[in-house]
Amino acid sequence: MNNFIYDIPVKVYFGEDQLQHLGEELSKFGKHVLLTYGGGSIKKIGLYDKVIAEIKKAGLEVVELSGIEPNPRIDSVRKGAQMCKDHKIDVLLAVGGGSTIDATKFMAAGACVDFDPWDFLNEKQASVEKALPIVTILTLAATGSEMDCGGVISNPETNDKIGRLDSKMLPKVSFLDPSNTFSVSPYQTACGSSDILSHIIEVYFNMNQDLYMLDCVMEGLMKTVIKYAPVAMREPDNYEARANLMWTSSWAINSFIDGGKRQAWSCHPMEHEVSAFYDITHGLGLAILTPRWMEYCLNEQMVSKYVQFGVNVFGINPNQEAMIIAKQAIAALSDFLFKTLGLKSSFTALGIDRTHFETMAEKSVKLGALKYAFVPLDKEDVLRIFEMCL
Ligand code: NZQ
Ligand code: ZN
């Protein structure tokens, strides 16, 4: 069992009517606020007006950057970083899903340097020496960006989508009100739930001896998604379902479940290449890849993990041969993603063919450290998994 450091200093206000604390939290960092958001969902749900009212009540000055794209682009980051400099911003307030929060993290870091923020992500890997403070108001349960220090940014000019972690970009405070997610469509709820599941699966499928307690936590988190995602899709304003998904999204990736497990992720590096080339929703790409990846990696050496997953998460009968249980576990996960959540089940259904497979596979391996994954993967392995997704 490896040693590890647990350090997640994000203050979370969870539940309804917590926005009354927004002004006091922002004021701790200064007077000038950059408010960032996406394509306008926060206006439709009335959240924008509430946020502005709280900011004004606290006597703060606000400038806005809207239009942050799903799969956020480096141009938005550049614009935001420049606005921070121009308006002498003290704190950034990201209101939205993972895309808005991720872009805001790099704006906060970009505001503190004189070079292009893309240098944090490209091969230069410029170090993040500091970042302006970030406060978030989450509106979509999926990425966990509200409680982690990562962000993923796209550069359509180079077909790149690259992630980077740095503790200086960790939000200082996050407001998690499940009712802000009532308006999330069934499709985005399904994609978000698939993303949450994948964040757990990427850690859970690991043969290193580690804390049994963490495996139990992960199984509980996965069962929570499986139980509540369909409820939230059927009854969008079911508070219990939305609350469970929201808190699970944060805990799936805030590094608690990692413990001392050290292992590179498998499906995320592959999916980021799919979204980089085809601009698809992240959780949808993961749904298509994950069961194929599981099938590809299944062997006698790894089968016990599949058995544990199948029996403890999907309730599969343990009194069968291990390989049979493993295959039933993959089938149960596929049924959940494609039948229960109704997500499309192949690249072909999304209009994705082999055109970019070679480049996508090469970049997955280059950016993703896949040789250190659950089952080490090289470019040829990734190509075979992509083929299985057609
Ligand atoms: O732009 P608006 O108008 O807000 O609409 C968004 C967007 O169209 C909409 N939406 C958000 N909240 C809503 C809502 N619609 C109605 N009601 C609400 N309350 O949903 C759409 C998708 O939003 P987006 O922020 O793109 O989704 P998500 O939270 O899934 O974020 C995806 C991005 O995060 C990255 C992904 O790769 C992708 O770029 N990831 C970030 C991670 C991290 N920071 O740790 C880890 C993840 O693995 C992931 O890679
Ligand atoms: Zn993800």
Side-chain angles (χ1 to χ4, degrees):
M1 201 183 293
N2 294 320
N3 293 346
F4 60 91
I5 298 169
Y6 168 86
D7 183 14
I8 313 168
V10 181
K11 180 172 182 181
V12 172
Y13 285 92
F14 194 95
E16 290 180 293
D17 303 323
Q18 298 271 29
L19 224 49
Q20 54 182 302
H21 300 287
L22 180 64
E24 90 201 35
E25 291 296 346
L26 291 170
S27 302
K28 287 179 188 167
F29 306 107
K31 207 172 161 48
H32 300 279
V33 182
L34 175 66
L35 167 64
T36 59
Y37 54 99
S41 67
I42 69 159
K43 289 195 170 162
K44 281 195 208 129
I45 64 175
L47 180 58
Y48 173 86
D49 290 339
K50 288 186 199 159
V51 168
I52 293 290
E54 292 299 331
I55 291 175
K56 296 283 172 207
K57 204 160 76 186
L60 305 173
E61 306 282 343
V62 63
V63 286
E64 296 181 22
L65 175 59
S66 63
I68 296 171
E69 317 76 8
N71 297 329
R73 299 177 178 198
I74 189 62
D75 273 349
S76 294
V77 172
R78 289 176 178 133
K79 216 184 285 177
Q82 191 56 47
M83 286 175 78
C84 289
K85 293 174 187 171
D86 294 345
H87 297 276
K88 303 203 169 7
I89 292 299
D90 299 307
V91 53
L92 292 87
L93 173 61
V95 186
S99 294
T100 295
I101 300 174
D102 282 7
T104 306
K105 287 176 177 172
F106 287 96
M107 292 173 203
C112 303
V113 296
D114 291 328
F115 53 80
D116 180 5
W118 185 242
D119 289 352
F120 291 127
L121 295 141
N122 64 19
E123 63 287 347
K124 291 190 184 154
Q125 289 290 299
S127 103
V128 180
E129 297 294 336
K130 56 181 178 169
L132 294 177
I134 302 159
V135 174
T136 83
I137 302 176
L138 182 67
T139 66
L140 200 173
T143 66
S145 190
E146 66 278 6
M147 217 177 167
D148 78 10
C149 67
V152 190
I153 304 296
S154 295
N155 186 340
E157 283 168 28
T158 52
N159 280 128
D160 279 319
K161 179 171 178 180
I162 307 178
R164 171 89 191 255
L165 300 165
D166 195 292
S167 61
K168 284 158 214 104
M169 301 190 297
L170 202 61
K172 301 283 184 212
V173 185
S174 283
F175 288 83
L176 273 55
D177 177 350
S179 65
N180 284 333
T181 64
F182 286 171
S183 55
V184 176
S185 67
Y187 168 70
Q188 285 293 347
T189 303
C191 290
S193 301
S194 154
D195 191 20
I196 302 170
L197 266 186
S198 175
H199 295 159
I200 305 161
I201 286 171
E202 297 272 32
V203 180
Y204 183 83
F205 277 79
N206 187 318
M207 302 306 285
N208 298 333
Q209 191 62 31
D210 209 86
L211 290 162
Y212 167 76
M213 167 267 201
L214 286 177
D215 271 16
C216 296
V217 170
M218 286 187 260
E219 287 158 6
L221 293 173
M222 288 190 274
K223 282 160 82 170
T224 304
V225 176
I226 290 161
K227 174 173 173 166
Y228 284 108
V231 179
M233 289 172 71
R234 253 190 340 262
E235 305 164 29
D237 55 0
N238 184 313
Y239 187 87
E240 181 184 324
R242 294 294 191 184
N244 274 281
L245 290 177
M246 194 172 235
W247 202 215
T248 304
S249 83
S250 304
W251 282 85
I253 199 174
N254 69 7
S255 88
F256 171 70
I257 62 171
D258 298 347
K261 286 191 165 82
R262 289 182 201 129
Q263 176 183 280
W265 285 15
S266 302
C267 294
H268 273 69
M270 292 189 273
E271 195 295 316
H272 286 163
E273 294 313 317
V274 185
S275 333
F277 279 83
Y278 294 97
D279 203 15
I280 64 164
T281 308
H282 173 62
L284 173 61
L286 290 170
I288 295 171
L289 280 158
T290 304
R292 274 61 180 238
W293 162 76
M294 284 176 70
E295 207 180 318
Y296 188 80
C297 295
L298 177 58
N299 59 35
E300 291 294 342
Q301 205 191 332
M302 305 303 189
V303 71
S304 61
K305 201 70 209 185
Y306 290 69
V307 170
Q308 186 191 346
F309 173 70
V311 171
N312 293 349
V313 178
F314 282 105
I316 290 168
N317 174 10
N319 303 315
Q320 307 179 80
E321 229 180 86
M323 271 295 168
I324 291 175
I325 299 175
K327 286 180 184 156
Q328 288 177 358
I330 299 171
L333 179 66
S334 300
D335 278 357
F336 175 73
L337 295 166
F338 306 132
K339 294 191 180 146
T340 309
L341 299 187
L343 291 168
K344 290 198 169 131
S345 60
S346 69
F347 285 170
T348 310
L350 306 183
I352 297 174
D353 60 18
R354 296 185 175 86
T355 310
H356 299 293
F357 276 9
E358 279 281 332
T359 324
M360 284 160 50
E362 206 168 299
K363 288 170 90 175
S364 302
V365 177
K366 188 174 143 212
L367 295 170
L370 281 163
K371 64 177 164 195
Y372 304 111
F374 170 58
V375 167
L377 302 174
D378 63 18
K379 183 185 160 190
E380 291 309 312
D381 296 313
V382 175
L383 272 172
R384 280 189 217 115
I385 293 170
F386 284 159
E387 286 286 334
M388 290 165 77
C389 294
L390 281 170

